[in-house]
Structures are given as C-alpha cells and as structure tokens.
Amino acid sequence: MPDVKLAVRNDVLGKRRALSTESRKQKSQAIVGSLIELSLFKDAMTIATYLPLTSEVDLSRLLRLEHRSKCFVAPRTLSNFELSFHRVTPSDMLEMGFGGARQPTEVADLVPPSAIDLFLVPLAACDRQGNRLGFGKGYYDRALADAPGFKLGIGFHCQLLDHVPSDSYDVPMNGFLSEEGLIQF
C-alpha cells in the first residue's frame, strides 16, 4: 500500500503545484469565504487551523478576521511524529517546524485536541468517502484518532478523487471543503 499511496500523493501534489500562484490565491479566498459562512464554522468555538505551505490552501486570512468569540489553534510538530495544538493569533511569533511548516512556539498556550470543535485539516488528497491521504508521516492520524471535533479536510478541487488508498489507522474526514463547496460524509 505505501507504493500506491506514494504514487497517488505524488500525482495529486503535482496537480496542486501546477496551479498558478494567482489561481491558488483566488481559490483560497473562495474557500475561506465559504468556510466562514458554514454553520460548522459559526458554531465552533475552538478551531484548529494550519499555517500553509506554499502550494496549500491558504487559510491564514482566518486569523486576521474579527472572530472575538473564537479561539484559533495551530499544530506544532513534536519529535515523535505527533502534533500538539497551540493558541495562535496574527501577532504571534512563529518558528519553522517539520517540512518547513510555520508553527507556534512551544510557549504558546497548549490546547488539548479534546477541546477543539473543528479541525481544518490539510491533505494531499481526499476521496468521496472521506478517506484522507496525508503527507506520509501520520501526524494528523495520531492527533485526530481520539479527537471528538468535526474533521474538515481542506484542499483544492483537484485534490478530490474518487478513491484514495487507506489503511485501518487512517482517520477519515467528516467533510471536504474546496473552491467548489462543501461535501459531507
């Protein structure tokens, strides 16, 4: 299965990288615009976002919007291939984590996954059954395994496939949001 996952991951990430910078920006803005109108988002008090890599959907605008009642958290990579989630604001200092991802510093307030209402989850690919293909290290699968919050995969429409190879330890998504809108599973 690892070879199949790797082939699918490489194919989809190639398609994502092929999107122009302007196209990614426009699609990201459309995704954020759709997201903030969803009852899933409106009802969530604590939201786990992520700080995007270059070709990922850019959700950083969320942190700049006025959501006084919401607490945003972002993941921090740990040495044991696990994630911890820390409170994040637009003015926070960030540092580099695994794979060049920006992340909160270790002194930022820690928030347990059990306290997170909505997880905005980056991905390589997602299928129409909610199977998520990540980036191969299992960080999110470990973090989301026992988390009760809604797991919303975030990606461009080119990342939605009919079938994604999955294993028993892969945590499925409850929904997928792209510039084409929301799909719930």
Side-chain angles (χ1 to χ4, degrees):
M1 183 80 69
D3 291 343
V4 175
K5 283 185 170 183
L6 182 61
V8 172
R9 182 181 298 116
N10 287 342
D11 181 56
V12 176
L13 292 179
K15 289 176 184 171
R16 187 176 82 184
R17 281 190 299 273
L19 294 171
S20 70
T21 302
E22 186 58 31
S23 177
R24 275 197 297 269
K25 182 179 176 184
Q26 289 174 353
K27 291 174 191 287
S28 292
Q29 288 174 344
I31 291 167
V32 171
S34 294
L35 176 63
I36 61 177
E37 295 302 320
L38 295 176
S39 58
L40 282 169
F41 181 84
K42 291 177 179 178
D43 295 344
M45 298 304 292
T46 302
I47 299 169
T49 187
Y50 60 89
L51 303 166
L53 297 171
T54 305
S55 68
E56 287 181 323
V57 173
D58 186 352
L59 299 179
S60 58
R61 190 173 127 224
L62 285 177
L63 298 178
R64 295 188 302 272
L65 298 175
E66 277 297 314
H67 298 291
R68 287 186 191 89
S69 62
K70 299 198 182 306
C71 168
F72 286 97
V73 299
R76 179 177 171 74
T77 54
L78 305 176
S79 60
N80 55 357
F81 296 108
E82 292 189 359
L83 295 176
S84 57
F85 291 90
H86 300 262
R87 190 178 184 107
V88 65
T89 68
S91 60
D92 286 348
M93 292 295 297
L94 301 171
E95 62 186 28
M96 286 298 183
F98 176 78
R102 294 172 300 141
Q103 65 182 19
T105 62
E106 61 186 326
V107 298
D109 292 343
L110 183 65
V111 176
S114 60
I116 298 170
D117 303 309
L118 175 61
F119 291 89
L120 305 176
V121 185
L123 45 77
C126 188
D127 68 20
R128 296 179 184 278
Q129 295 73 47
N131 296 307
R132 172 187 175 268
L133 181 62
F135 301 97
K137 298 293 184 195
Y139 282 98
Y140 271 94
D141 291 312
R142 285 181 199 70
L144 299 176
D146 298 318
F150 192 94
K151 298 152 189 78
L152 183 60
I154 303 289
F156 299 113
H157 188 70
C158 66
Q159 294 172 263
L160 180 63
L161 305 178
D162 289 331
H163 173 74
V164 165
S166 64
D167 292 300
S168 59
Y169 52 81
D170 292 325
V171 175
M173 299 291 97
N174 302 117
F176 175 73
L177 182 65
S178 74
E179 70 277 12
E180 304 269 320
L182 173 68
I183 300 171
Q184 289 197 55
F185 310 113

